[in-house]
Amino acid sequence: MHTHRRVVGLLSGTLLLGFVGAVPAHAEGSRTTYFTGWRHGHESSRWNDNNRDGVSTSVTLSGCSTDGAEGFTKANLKLWKNRDFLPDSDKGTRKNRCGRSAWGDQSSGKYYFELFGFTTGGTMSARKVVIKY
């Protein structure tokens, strides 16, 4: 009986350590910012992704507006990988309707997004921009 208690206690302790040691996956990095009066082709600042996780690189916009008469409908965001001494690498364009755009897990390097276009008007603003990588 004494041995049975030890085995049960040992197993319980191991299971408890397994749960306590389990850490949820978090983005390696993120930043929150905004932009005002951006024109087509405007670029964000760069960020460095060390690829220490499996988190998808994403840009989330909220509070979007344009100076166009018809207002904001959608924006096209393009993710770029900055490459020294070579042309930057185009990682694809995503349509953003003032929400989240994702490009999947990216390799390590320096990245930025470009406001590749938007509907109506000459300038666009977003009250909040969250970049996760």
Side-chain angles (χ1 to χ4, degrees):
M1 186 68 132
H2 209 33
T3 306
H4 177 69
R5 272 195 227 153
R6 267 195 231 164
V7 171
V8 170
L10 222 126
L11 286 173
S12 298
T14 302
L15 283 173
L16 182 60
L17 280 175
F19 286 118
V20 171
V23 179
H26 294 289
E28 173 186 322
S30 67
R31 68 170 67 166
T32 301
T33 187
Y34 67 94
F35 63 82
T36 304
W38 278 21
R39 297 187 177 281
H40 297 264
H42 199 104
E43 299 173 356
S44 72
S45 60
R46 272 65 171 161
W47 66 86
N48 195 44
D49 185 344
N50 293 311
N51 197 27
R52 292 187 190 136
D53 56 24
V55 171
S56 177
T57 297
S58 66
V59 176
T60 303
L61 305 178
S62 57
C64 304
S65 62
T66 67
D67 62 356
E70 296 174 29
F72 178 84
T73 307
K74 71 175 177 170
N76 292 319
L77 304 179
K78 184 176 285 216
L79 182 68
W80 291 95
K81 183 175 185 179
N82 194 86
R83 299 189 311 172
D84 296 330
F85 312 112
L86 292 169
D88 291 348
S89 179
D90 180 348
K91 296 300 181 175
T93 303
R94 303 289 186 269
K95 288 180 184 167
N96 189 298
R97 299 188 188 283
C98 207
R100 183 174 181 266
S101 295
W103 286 267
D105 184 21
Q106 299 296 313
S107 62
S108 62
K110 222 172 227 182
Y111 291 88
Y112 62 97
F113 74 89
E114 174 188 357
L115 180 59
F116 198 65
F118 51 88
T119 53
T120 74
T123 64
M124 181 184 159
S125 300
R127 282 195 311 258
K128 186 175 181 183
V129 179
V130 178
I131 303 165
K132 292 186 179 180
Y133 49 95

